[in-house]
Amino acid sequence: MFGYFLERFRALVLSVLLIACFALPAFAGPFEDAVAKFANDEFSDTAEAIEAVASSGNPLAFPIISALQEERLSADPESKKVFITQADGKIIDAATGAVVDKLPDNAASVRLNNRLRRTVEAALGSLTLLSPDPAKRVAAAQSVFKSHDENALPVVEGALAKETDKAAKQAFTEARAAIILFKSDASDNDKLDAVAVIKARGDQEALALLTSAGSDQPPLVAQAITGAISSIQSNLAMWSAVQNAWYGLSLGSVLLLAAIGLAITFGVMGVINMAHGEMVMIGAYTTFVVQEVIRTRYPGLFDYSLLIAVPLAFLVAGGIGVAIERSIIRFLYGRPLETLLATWGLSLVLQQAVRTMFGPTNREVGNPSWMSGAFELGQITITYNRLWILCFTLAVFVILLAMLGYTALGLEMRAVTQNRRMAASMGIATSRVDALTFGLGSGIAGIAGVALSQIDNVSPNLGQSYIIDSFMVVVFGGVGNLWGTLVGAFTLGIANKFLEPVAGAVLGKIAILVLIILFIQKRPRGLFALKGRAVEA
Amino acid sequence: MSAHILTRSLDRAATAFILIVAAVGILVPLSNLLLPQGSFLQVPTYLVALWGKYVCYAILALSIDLIWGYCGILSLGHGAFFALGGYAMGMYLMRQIGSRGVYGNPILPDFMVFLNWDKLPWYWYGFDMFPFAALMVLVVPGLLAFCFGWLAFRSRVTGVYLSIITQAMTYALLLAFFRNDFGFGGNNGLTDFKDILGFNVQADGTRAALFALSCLALIIGFLICRAIVTSKLGKVLIAVRDAESRTRFLGYRVESYKLFVFTLSACMAGVAGALYVPQVGIINPSEFAPGNSIEAVIWVAVGGRGTLVGAALGAVVVNYAKTFFTSGPLAPYWLFMLGALFILVTLLLPKGIVGTFNSWWEPWRAQRVAAVESAAREDGISEPNSAEQAQ
Amino acid sequence: MITQLTHDIARLSRRGWLAAAAGLVLGLASSPFSPAKAADDTIKVGVLHSLSGTMAISETTLKDTILFLIDEQNKKGGVLGKKLEAVVVDPASNWPLFAEKARELITKDKVAVVFGCWTSVSRKSVLPVFKELNNILFYPVQYEGEESERNVFYTGAAPNQQAIPAVDYLMKDEKVKRWVLAGTDYVYPRTTNKILEAYLKSKGVKQEDIMINYTPFGHSDWQTIVADIKKFGSAGKKTAVVSTINGDANVPFYKELGNQGIKATDIPVVAFSVGEEELAGIDTKPLVGHLAAWNYFESIKTPANEKFIKDWQAYTKNPKRVTNDPMEAYYIGFNMWVKAVEKVKSTDPDKVIDALPGIEAPNLTGGVSKMLPNHHITKPVFIGEIKGNGQFDVVWKTPGLVAGDAWSKELEGSRDLIGDWVGKKCGNWNTKTNKCGGQGS
């Protein structure tokens, strides 16, 4: 979108400039002086240059400032020449618009700090208020709303009058209200209207604006502001409960994802698999490897990296799981506590193996574009990665449930779990089913790793941080019951998130652990206990 | 009566164990103090501290074996009792520093001074007196175990559920002790000790004495465990381990037995922790880490679950291996060794070192005795030594 | 009864078991540790860093760094005509094991100096050992201060070499009026935040404009806290976050910040524990503009730094391997130790300890750092902004070198204390009472 716009804009600029070049002899005017300041490598000079360029009205102003924002503006400190590297790789002289062959050797990109970035945003805001793209206009209006720069008022009002897009119109109205609220010579009535508009917006930003506008206002306006602030605050307080619930769901989905594989190996098979966390870690590292290959070979596929990683992680972790079952765990059936020890040893080996192979430091796993960012729902921010993880978790859960309920393998698994000898007598190859069940549990842990790599460190310690929580979830929900795991995970997640604002993160977590301990006294077999004689075995 | 229990509980292995520990407890300090430095048999001071640590771990292993090996309670949170005992001792040692801390505050420990605490929290009162601290070493872990066990055993939480909630317990304590507001020094824990009972903790003599004391505690702990497992009480415990419901149906109050042995075991772990702290010089919340408790269970498994000698031996063997592998060229690979050790022991030596040794040794000895006896019968000569051996 | 016992003993001793057992035990105890051959042709250097466990993530690099520095020094002919030999041990992120390994290095391997430790607790754990056995520890990580020991040399930043300049920068340059002090709940963040709180209040910041938040180690669910920060930041005053969040928890924290759309231009985060190494695990594009305060950045262009980076990447055979601040602290510390040893022509710890204060060694950012009598060093302070490529862009630096304060001026308990191992021979000299030993009674 942006590129398209630039392209059209550039064509226009270039044609204008070509004419200008022929018409005028090259001389140093105020615009050229301003541009040259970019080459000084001093933040204060850069700030002046931005102001001057933005207010110059020169058609090159927009390309220069947007290049600055994207670190495409470079300057040669000796000749004081400044260049724009365009998106297509062409380089033009920022002062004249003339195309140059290549950057001088000592040209370095113009540096920014946060203060300058804000200046650039504000400058771009006023430069793009009239952009043909409605989304850009909205963004521009938002940045005016934040900066409430009085100079932008005429442009905003002009834009507002012409505006046809609904969202943009709303944004311009709010931006105008923000400016008027801070304008010292605006009438009380205008200000009161402005307060009403901002109050209707009702989010954190509006609150921030009203709070900072509160001082030295006429009494009537000040009163209205106080009223608006308290109304926004009570509205936000209500939303914060919704927000906690969402955070709880999101945390619950992470817990569920980490625990669901364990619910199979531990819950269904009764194997205490302390290496479960390492299966999650292996899944995360599989994602890392997939992304590395994609980065170096097929950069275009990056957005699909997770989709490729999911089946691979399932296969890798599942395969390792089957290998573990065949080589270690099958000798330990009926001795659950010994399995605990062997798998603990195994987890040490796997961790150190990954540390040796990939190094001890964190590995970078990127978020694909569809998992980055957030959207606003009412007054809460929902991040895409959390949302996708929630959906993904539920999908995994449903597929798993369906698999256990409706496939032959699922039937065999349940049969072997309930009565191994009877199942064997009916002709089920119990050892094959054992291996596959364990592989399934491990594989699911692997795909959990793919999802967790999006929100957590990918390091050899990844698995350890989830293993205790996973066991808590499974035990709390009731061993041998997938629904129990689901309810357990979401209960713990939501309880944790409602406790956190009250008690703090550490005490909240301690409280949850104590509650689990007490809960187990009340229901020694978890939330959803299996009934029947098998339990006492 | 007590003497009767004592002797009945001592078989040959137990006697040998006690004698070896006693010999170590006497010889190592003597060799350290009396022999000239650098002589072949002189044990350097750092090894005294190191082996002192092993002995403390052995006591912890013993306490775990008592409940796991003989009563079937797998606690994955026994490190918590160990650490609580250690903290009680650490608090005493902190108070002994007095005004020798870096800020020279006669009452407040350093970490409280620099986080601007103005007075000692109430739970630090009394820890300047050794008898009180020593009592707390037993009472604090014991009380926690009693309350925890009271709740858990009465509501019949068993098996893996119990294991997991003990883990939750130690994890919660870990998080709590990490909090600086809790008043135990947060992550840094308690350290930089100076004196114990007026003796400098870093002096060779003190280290030697602590080592001897740890060996003594190990022997006493061993004797107590031995007395319990060979008594009628012990038989009930084993019954609980093997068939809990059946034992209950026979009229035994299973939960009382479990509660007793669990609390006792926690007190033992507390003592181990208390002896551990002055020897290693630091107590910190990471002792509560669930991993530590699991590792302690593994010592027992390696040595031989259900054999008290094995538990102690396992603790020493695994920790010796850890010391050995974590230095030198093997350092980057020691986790492979340790992990492989756990896997191989569970797979190949399910009864642990001592259990496996017994299962080889017993038939062999029985066979040999039978052979000797038949030979003796043939010769018509009595052979006192072998006859004695056959007892 | 008793006769039975004596009988047993007699029987055992008859077979010489007792003697055998005792011999076995003593043999076992000392055999693998029998004092190493007195190798006079090398000088041994102890390396005490976790290679496994939770801290391996940070410490492994430092082990490699010291091996690299030793290698470089040996190429130059070693020290005093002898080669340096590294003795590497793995304390496995286990604090008592740190003390045990330190003891082993000094007693058994007879090292001349130890380079090691990352966390404060590991340093506290080995401290009594170094004091007792009188050896030297070089500690390369920024820490909370409040310590000056005869046997330890602190080449990382003290709070006044990192935290306070960073806050000054934000106050002056970004006009920040409202502060979130977010940290992991352990001693470094607690102390740093205490110092900063006192400092901010002395600059007229009100209590309601400071929010302090602590999280457990390895905290991974930052949704609530990031939302709280957002809320706190919308009170109409410019807000910044001062983060003392510990290494591991940073990745999820920054990911959540990026996803919830908190940009550096709105609420900048300045971190004291996030360097090039930590950023290597994150996609930094959403984080551009967030800040870090260190005494060194890889991106600083000096000939010394460029050579260091080139040699380091060649040594590790990894052209992407980054460098960071604790590595530079080792570079300075190691060179200081070499100079001190060459000055007194001996590796005897007492002589080296006395020689070290006053020794100067170039740092990698173009200055010359000096070891101070309080065993801290002088360093420049840089504020860097995160760039899209995982590096930092220096946006501000102190005009000269800042001397490290062992004792913070902002804290009540330590206001009057100084460390001076040259004149006063005391780490906690009270300037009010003119006595050694803290507040002095």
Side-chain angles (χ1 to χ4, degrees):
Chain A
M1 243 167 0
F2 186 62
Y4 170 71
F5 169 67
L6 255 187
E7 209 61 41
R8 281 179 44 179
F9 196 89
R10 195 181 307 124
L12 178 78
V13 169
L14 279 178
S15 52
V16 170
L17 274 166
L18 276 175
I19 301 162
C21 283
F22 287 114
L24 299 167
F27 66 91
F31 177 72
E32 285 74 11
D33 282 346
V35 169
K37 278 191 182 166
F38 281 120
N40 290 356
D41 198 27
E42 284 288 336
F43 291 133
S44 53
D45 284 355
T46 311
E48 283 170 25
I50 297 170
E51 297 281 338
V53 167
S55 56
S56 70
N58 190 302
L60 275 171
F62 177 73
I64 290 177
I65 292 177
S66 57
L68 186 61
Q69 189 182 35
E70 289 155 24
E71 296 186 12
R72 292 187 285 107
L73 193 72
S74 31
D76 179 355
E78 276 164 32
S79 65
K80 302 282 178 201
K81 277 198 181 299
V82 179
F83 305 94
I84 302 173
T85 311
Q86 294 179 336
D88 54 5
K90 255 194 231 154
I91 296 160
I92 60 172
D93 186 325
T96 61
V99 177
V100 270
D101 295 339
K102 65 180 186 67
L103 286 175
D105 289 339
N106 49 0
S109 77
V110 178
R111 301 186 312 143
L112 289 179
N113 65 8
N114 281 325
R115 199 151 42 98
L116 290 180
R117 267 185 214 103
R118 274 193 298 277
T119 321
V120 166
E121 267 172 35
L124 274 182
S126 46
L127 283 174
T128 49
L129 276 172
L130 300 171
S131 151
D133 175 6
K136 277 222 95 69
R137 290 201 300 274
V138 171
Q142 298 280 18
S143 78
V144 171
F145 181 82
K146 265 192 235 169
S147 68
H148 45 79
D149 178 10
E150 252 178 67
N151 302 329
L153 188 59
V155 193
V156 171
E157 281 178 335
L160 186 56
K162 296 190 291 199
E163 189 57 65
T164 49
D165 184 83
K166 208 173 150 211
K169 201 171 180 104
Q170 176 68 24
F172 279 128
T173 315
E174 284 165 6
R176 182 172 167 272
I179 297 172
I180 286 180
L181 190 60
F182 278 84
K183 202 161 176 286
S184 45
D185 55 349
S187 74
D188 278 12
N189 272 346
D190 283 351
K191 285 203 172 188
L192 287 178
D193 289 346
V195 171
V197 168
I198 297 168
K199 181 181 164 187
R201 179 175 162 137
D203 63 355
Q204 297 276 6
E205 305 259 345
L207 188 61
L209 196 78
L210 286 173
T211 321
S212 58
S215 54
D216 55 84
Q217 292 281 3
L220 210 58
V221 179
Q223 206 183 350
I225 288 180
T226 321
I229 287 178
S230 64
S231 120
I232 294 179
Q233 272 170 342
S234 62
N235 187 32
L236 285 179
M238 193 191 73
W239 275 103
S240 84
V242 181
Q243 188 177 31
N244 280 339
W246 159 251
Y247 289 164
L249 279 179
S250 154
L251 177 63
S253 70
V254 169
L255 289 175
L256 176 60
L257 200 53
I260 195 167
L262 199 67
I264 296 178
T265 49
F266 176 52
V268 178
M269 294 176 80
V271 172
I272 306 181
N273 182 13
M274 293 307 269
H276 174 77
E278 276 57 47
M279 297 296 149
V280 176
M281 174 192 74
I282 287 170
Y285 272 91
T286 313
T287 319
F288 165 70
V289 172
V290 167
Q291 288 204 347
E292 273 304 281
V293 172
I294 286 179
R295 267 198 201 108
T296 48
R297 304 263 173 79
Y298 320 99
L301 286 177
F302 190 76
D303 273 356
Y304 304 98
S305 58
L306 293 191
L307 300 181
I308 302 168
V310 165
L312 275 176
F314 183 83
L315 289 179
V316 172
I320 293 176
V322 171
I324 292 170
E325 200 277 343
R326 285 290 86 187
S327 59
I328 298 173
I329 290 174
R330 72 175 163 133
F331 301 109
L332 299 172
Y333 283 120
R335 295 191 279 154
L337 300 175
E338 264 103 332
T339 337
L340 184 152
L341 306 182
T343 49
W344 176 257
L346 191 71
S347 80
L348 296 183
V349 172
L350 288 175
Q351 266 179 49
Q352 195 64 11
V354 167
R355 199 170 278 136
T356 315
M357 268 193 285
F358 293 95
T361 49
N362 287 331
R363 289 294 163 166
E364 180 186 337
V365 173
N367 292 1
S369 58
W370 47 274
M371 278 190 92
S372 313
F375 67 96
E376 306 275 331
L377 185 79
Q379 298 306 334
I380 62 171
T381 312
I382 293 181
T383 53
Y384 283 111
N385 60 355
R386 300 268 174 187
L387 183 67
W388 278 114
I389 287 176
L390 179 64
C391 297
F392 180 69
T393 309
L394 293 177
V396 169
F397 183 80
V398 169
I399 292 171
L400 195 62
L401 214 56
M403 220 210 84
L404 284 180
Y406 301 105
T407 64
L409 180 63
L411 188 68
E412 288 176 358
M413 276 179 194
R414 284 180 293 141
V416 171
T417 317
Q418 282 166 15
N419 195 327
R420 174 174 298 270
R421 281 160 68 192
M422 184 88 79
S425 327
M426 303 297 279
I428 295 173
T430 54
S431 66
R432 190 185 64 100
V433 172
D434 284 336
L436 287 180
T437 313
F438 197 81
L440 177 70
S442 305
I444 287 176
I447 57 177
V450 178
L452 293 182
S453 73
Q454 291 299 304
I455 51 168
D456 209 338
N457 293 296
V458 179
S459 77
N461 305 330
L462 169 72
Q464 286 206 312
S465 45
Y466 287 99
I467 184 79
I468 292 181
D469 286 340
S470 306
F471 271 109
M472 295 303 151
V473 166
V474 175
V475 166
F476 177 70
V479 169
N481 190 324
L482 282 184
W483 284 104
T485 310
L486 179 86
V487 175
F490 283 114
T491 314
L492 292 185
I494 291 174
N496 202 336
K497 280 298 163 187
F498 273 92
L499 273 172
E500 197 179 313
V502 187
V506 189
L507 276 185
K509 194 145 191 198
I510 296 173
I512 291 286
L513 289 169
V514 173
L515 288 179
I516 292 178
I517 294 177
L518 293 178
F519 178 83
I520 294 292
Q521 319 296 338
K522 197 78 195 145
R523 295 191 71 123
R525 303 213 161 257
L527 214 48
F528 291 78
L530 279 185
K531 293 192 174 61
R533 295 184 55 191
V535 178
E536 268 294 315
Chain B
M1 176 65 199
S2 61
H4 175 68
I5 290 175
L6 198 68
T7 40
R8 195 188 51 199
S9 64
L10 286 178
D11 63 2
R12 181 180 306 241
T15 316
F17 175 78
I18 290 173
L19 289 174
I20 290 175
V21 175
V24 170
I26 295 164
L27 286 179
V28 168
L30 284 183
S31 131
N32 170 253
L33 293 177
L34 299 182
L35 293 174
Q37 284 233 332
S39 100
F40 175 67
L41 275 180
Q42 200 253 355
V43 180
T45 307
Y46 88 98
L47 282 182
V48 176
L50 189 61
W51 280 79
K53 197 173 96 170
Y54 295 168
V55 173
C56 295
Y57 284 150
I59 303 173
L60 174 63
L62 214 56
S63 76
I64 292 175
D65 196 26
L66 180 64
I67 53 167
W68 184 37
Y70 292 93
C71 193
I73 305 170
L74 176 60
S75 164
L76 293 184
H78 239 55
F81 304 124
F82 180 82
L84 284 174
Y87 264 98
M89 178 55 90
M91 286 161 82
Y92 163 73
L93 293 170
M94 280 313 265
R95 295 295 305 270
Q96 290 303 299
I97 296 174
S99 58
R100 282 168 293 174
V102 292
Y103 299 105
N105 189 313
I107 299 191
L108 294 186
D110 283 344
F111 68 87
M112 291 191 188
V113 180
F114 86 89
L115 291 178
N116 297 354
W117 293 56
D118 46 3
K119 64 180 205 307
L120 204 63
W122 60 268
Y123 43 80
W124 276 76
Y125 289 141
F127 278 94
D128 46 341
M129 292 173 288
F130 184 77
F132 179 77
L135 188 67
M136 285 301 127
V137 162
L138 291 171
V139 167
V140 174
L143 200 63
L144 176 67
F146 184 82
C147 296
F148 188 88
W150 170 266
L151 288 168
F153 299 136
R154 274 163 49 94
S155 43
R156 299 186 190 173
V157 181
T158 51
V160 289
Y161 287 89
L162 190 78
S163 305
I164 302 287
I165 63 167
T166 51
Q167 202 175 33
M169 175 191 74
T170 191
Y171 189 52
L173 283 168
L174 168 84
L175 292 173
F177 274 79
F178 262 130
R179 280 171 55 83
N180 276 277
D181 293 342
F182 212 58
F184 293 100
N187 181 38
N188 274 13
L190 310 176
T191 181
D192 205 14
F193 308 130
K194 310 272 194 241
D195 287 350
I196 179 165
L197 287 171
F199 300 102
N200 180 358
V201 283
Q202 292 180 347
D204 285 0
T206 319
R207 287 192 187 284
L210 280 169
F211 179 81
L213 216 58
S214 305
C215 289
L216 184 67
L218 177 60
I219 294 174
I220 293 174
F222 182 80
L223 286 175
I224 293 174
C225 291
R226 194 72 211 175
I228 288 175
V229 300
T230 48
S231 68
K232 185 161 162 270
L233 172 66
K235 297 278 178 280
V236 179
L237 292 180
I238 292 172
V240 171
R241 176 189 75 187
D242 292 339
E244 183 169 338
S245 308
R246 209 175 291 180
T247 317
R248 185 174 286 122
F249 297 152
L250 287 172
Y252 291 98
R253 292 187 63 91
V254 170
E255 55 275 9
S256 307
Y257 285 93
K258 282 175 141 181
L259 188 56
F260 168 74
V261 75
F262 190 65
T263 310
L264 179 77
S265 159
C267 292
M268 268 178 72
V271 171
L275 287 165
Y276 170 85
V277 168
Q279 298 190 65
V280 301
I282 186 169
I283 177 80
N284 145 287
S286 64
E287 298 296 334
F288 287 103
N292 283 19
S293 299
I294 294 177
E295 226 182 277
V297 170
I298 286 173
W299 306 334
V300 178
V302 168
R305 176 189 170 196
T307 62
L308 293 171
V309 178
L313 188 71
V316 175
V317 166
V318 174
N319 281 293
Y320 183 77
K322 206 168 165 176
T323 306
F324 187 78
F325 288 133
T326 44
S327 34
L330 287 176
Y333 305 103
W334 75 274
L335 273 183
F336 289 126
M337 314 270 180
L338 199 66
L341 178 73
F342 297 158
I343 297 171
L344 293 178
V345 164
T346 38
L347 281 184
L348 305 178
L349 300 177
K351 293 177 192 159
I353 298 171
V354 170
T356 311
F357 177 77
N358 279 347
S359 61
W360 288 340
W361 169 249
E362 297 285 341
W364 182 77
R365 196 183 61 169
Q367 208 176 10
R368 203 183 72 142
V369 169
V372 170
E373 272 178 355
S374 65
R377 233 177 283 121
E378 275 169 28
D379 291 354
I381 309 162
S382 92
E383 221 277 285
N385 262 358
S386 56
E388 214 168 83
Q389 204 172 41
Q391 283 171 356
Chain C
M1 332 277 83
I2 305 301
T3 46
Q4 166 96 40
L5 190 63
T6 46
H7 193 60
D8 270 357
I9 294 171
R11 206 166 55 191
L12 284 166
S13 63
R14 191 163 62 221
R15 289 173 199 178
W17 279 22
L18 195 63
L24 180 80
V25 165
L26 289 181
L28 199 66
S30 43
S31 64
F33 300 105
S34 51
K37 277 173 288 165
D40 286 334
D41 48 337
T42 61
I43 296 172
K44 288 191 174 173
V45 175
V47 185
L48 185 63
H49 281 300
S50 301
L51 310 179
S52 54
T54 47
M55 287 313 295
I57 187 167
S58 307
E59 294 194 51
T60 313
T61 305
L62 286 186
K63 178 214 64 172
D64 292 341
T65 308
I66 209 73
L67 294 182
F68 160 65
L69 291 171
I70 289 174
D71 190 60
E72 294 279 297
Q73 189 65 33
N74 282 341
K75 278 188 205 154
K76 289 187 235 161
V79 178
L80 301 179
K82 294 179 189 173
K83 292 270 184 230
L84 297 177
E85 180 190 345
V87 184
V88 178
V89 291
D90 176 15
S93 313
N94 175 328
W95 318 132
L97 204 57
F98 265 91
E100 180 190 320
K101 290 290 160 194
R103 204 170 270 281
E104 189 186 314
L105 282 174
I106 300 169
T107 320
K108 183 196 130 200
D109 296 307
K110 311 243 183 293
V111 296
V113 60
V114 176
F115 289 84
C117 298
W118 179 287
T119 57
S120 278
V121 53
S122 63
R123 189 188 69 250
K124 293 268 184 210
S125 160
V126 300
L127 239 169
V129 178
F130 279 89
K131 281 199 270 190
E132 180 192 340
L133 303 174
N134 194 23
N135 207 292
I136 305 171
L137 171 71
F138 275 88
Y139 178 68
V141 186
Q142 93 280 11
Y143 84 119
E144 67 277 2
E146 303 295 297
E147 199 180 289
S148 173
E149 292 289 347
R150 181 172 176 270
N151 302 85
V152 185
F153 292 87
Y154 309 81
T155 56
N160 73 319
Q161 291 174 310
Q162 198 182 18
I164 289 182
V167 167
D168 274 339
Y169 168 77
L170 287 175
M171 243 191 270
K172 281 199 211 96
D173 231 68
E174 295 255 355
K175 309 273 181 292
V176 173
K177 297 277 188 300
R178 235 165 125 80
W179 303 83
V180 181
L181 309 180
T184 305
D185 190 3
Y186 72 112
V187 66
Y188 170 66
R190 285 263 173 190
T191 319
T192 308
N193 288 348
K194 268 246 141 56
I195 294 172
L196 288 180
E197 201 184 345
Y199 183 74
L200 287 173
K201 282 185 184 160
S202 77
K203 297 274 170 189
V205 177
K206 286 198 214 69
Q207 182 68 51
E208 72 257 25
D209 285 334
I210 301 175
M211 168 175 142
I212 299 182
N213 182 296
Y214 291 107
T215 39
F217 279 96
H219 191 66
S220 60
D221 194 286
W222 289 93
Q223 301 182 89
T224 311
I225 289 158
V226 169
D228 282 351
I229 291 174
K230 218 169 159 181
K231 205 160 126 199
F232 189 78
S234 61
K237 289 183 190 165
K238 179 71 186 168
T239 304
V241 180
V242 178
S243 151
T244 38
I245 295 164
N246 180 265
D248 245 12
N250 271 306
V251 175
F253 174 62
Y254 278 113
K255 281 189 176 172
E256 193 68 38
L257 274 184
N259 280 325
Q260 289 210 19
I262 295 190
K263 280 187 290 185
T265 45
D266 306 328
I267 303 179
V269 178
V270 59
F272 304 144
S273 319
V274 176
E276 289 84 352
E277 188 108 286
E278 284 76 17
L279 288 187
I282 329 178
D283 175 18
T284 53
K285 283 185 199 71
L287 305 180
V288 168
H290 287 304
L291 304 139
W294 289 109
N295 310 115
Y296 165 85
F297 285 109
E298 187 180 354
S299 61
I300 291 174
K301 296 238 177 317
T302 63
N305 191 28
E306 274 159 22
K307 178 174 183 314
F308 181 76
I309 295 168
K310 209 179 94 220
D311 291 346
W312 164 246
Q313 288 172 345
Y315 175 80
T316 55
K317 300 188 185 66
N318 180 352
K320 283 188 191 159
R321 194 79 186 253
V322 293
T323 58
N324 63 11
D325 178 276
M327 288 175 63
E328 193 228 13
Y330 258 167
Y331 174 84
I332 301 170
F334 182 81
N335 285 328
M336 283 181 168
W337 177 76
V338 169
K339 283 193 174 174
V341 167
E342 279 169 350
K343 185 175 160 196
V344 296
K345 304 208 166 25
S346 158
T347 57
D348 178 59
D350 280 328
K351 289 183 186 160
V352 177
I353 288 173
D354 287 340
L356 266 163
I359 293 274
E360 295 190 333
N363 55 38
L364 292 173
T365 51
V368 176
S369 288
K370 184 175 168 186
M371 179 60 73
L372 301 168
N374 63 4
H375 287 189
H376 291 61
I377 65 172
T378 58
K379 313 180 97 176
V381 186
F382 299 94
I383 311 286
E385 281 188 0
I386 296 175
K387 292 200 292 185
N389 60 359
Q391 288 287 336
F392 291 88
D393 186 18
V394 174
V395 291
W396 184 82
K397 64 178 243 179
T398 47
L401 301 190
V402 180
D405 281 342
W407 303 95
S408 178
K409 298 273 171 289
E410 275 72 28
L411 293 181
E412 213 168 294
S414 63
R415 194 167 291 149
D416 305 322
L417 299 183
I418 57 161
D420 181 359
W421 291 104
V422 177
K424 311 263 195 276
K425 301 275 175 213
C426 173
N428 50 350
W429 182 269
N430 192 320
T431 50
K432 276 262 174 67
T433 60
N434 271 328
K435 270 187 199 154
C436 188
Q439 290 161 338
S441 36

